[in-house]
Amino acid sequence: MNAKSLLLVFMLGVGVAGCASDDNLAAKEANDPLEPMNRFFFDFNQRLDRHAALPAATFYANTVPRGIRGNIHNVLTNLGGPVNVANDILQAEFEFAGIAGARFLVNSTFGVAGIFDVATDWGLPERGRDFGETLGVYGVGQGPYLVLPFRGPTSVRDFAGGYVDGYFSPLRVLHYSGSNYVGL
């Protein structure tokens, strides 16, 4: 997500947040002060899922063999290795950081760029970590419940954490017309 898109989503969120009234105590108690905006984006995402994502996923599942889909999953999971290492270090989980680093190296080399998950067979299990969790370890609260277009439900802390995680991703080094990709 580029900076302009992020700014647009933020401004839209702030603008719609003004629609939340003090009369809605149940929404506040449920940590959902942005309920009107969340309902709007939930409905938008449901329609998008029904009319675009579900047909695309069905086509993908019906045309790409299960083994290839598994290999694609392995590559994408492997790309999260540096993110896991960084967050394990920030959480002072050094043993898990070592496992995550070894897992990334093993799968990137012996697993042929992560296509095969060799590390699990070698006793290096996957353990995903993200910056939202890291912020939680340092005592940062979740913030309000948030439903974002194209992304779905999250919290303010986890949304911000996902943005920071993008800077640790190996995809960050890919270039297209001079712009860096933050995520896939």
Side-chain angles (χ1 to χ4, degrees):
M1 180 178 277
N2 65 29
K4 288 181 183 178
S5 298
L6 186 61
L7 181 62
L8 178 65
V9 169
F10 176 75
M11 289 175 53
L12 184 59
V14 169
V16 177
C19 299
S21 69
D22 290 334
D23 299 335
N24 196 347
L25 294 177
K28 285 183 179 180
E29 290 174 5
N31 197 29
D32 192 7
L34 308 174
E35 183 180 12
M37 179 187 75
N38 288 339
R39 287 185 182 277
F40 174 81
F41 285 133
F42 177 81
D43 184 52
F44 172 81
N45 288 341
Q46 291 288 52
R47 290 179 189 189
L48 183 69
D49 185 48
R50 239 184 340 268
H51 299 295
L54 183 60
T58 302
F59 175 79
Y60 175 75
N62 290 336
T63 57
V64 178
R66 182 183 301 256
I68 304 258
R69 291 192 320 257
N71 294 137
I72 291 169
H73 171 78
N74 290 343
V75 168
L76 295 175
T77 299
N78 190 55
L79 288 173
V83 173
N84 294 335
V85 171
N87 284 298
D88 279 331
I89 289 171
L90 290 171
Q91 293 175 27
E93 297 281 357
F94 302 113
E95 181 180 344
F96 290 122
I99 291 170
R103 178 178 173 77
F104 179 71
L105 291 174
V106 165
N107 282 342
S108 295
T109 55
F110 296 106
V112 190
I115 294 172
F116 304 102
D117 183 7
V118 178
T120 298
D121 296 336
W122 289 11
L124 300 167
E126 179 191 355
R127 180 177 180 263
R129 287 292 174 252
D130 62 60
F131 194 69
E133 291 176 75
T134 301
L135 290 172
V137 167
Y138 287 100
V140 176
Q142 288 262 348
Y145 178 75
L146 188 59
V147 179
L148 298 172
F150 307 106
R151 174 162 174 157
T154 187
S155 68
V156 172
R157 180 183 78 194
D158 288 340
F159 176 69
Y163 187 76
V164 171
D165 284 338
Y167 285 95
F168 292 104
S169 172
L171 293 175
R172 181 84 177 128
V173 299
L174 295 178
H175 294 278
Y176 177 75
S177 299
S179 299
N180 289 334
Y181 283 122
V182 173
L184 183 58

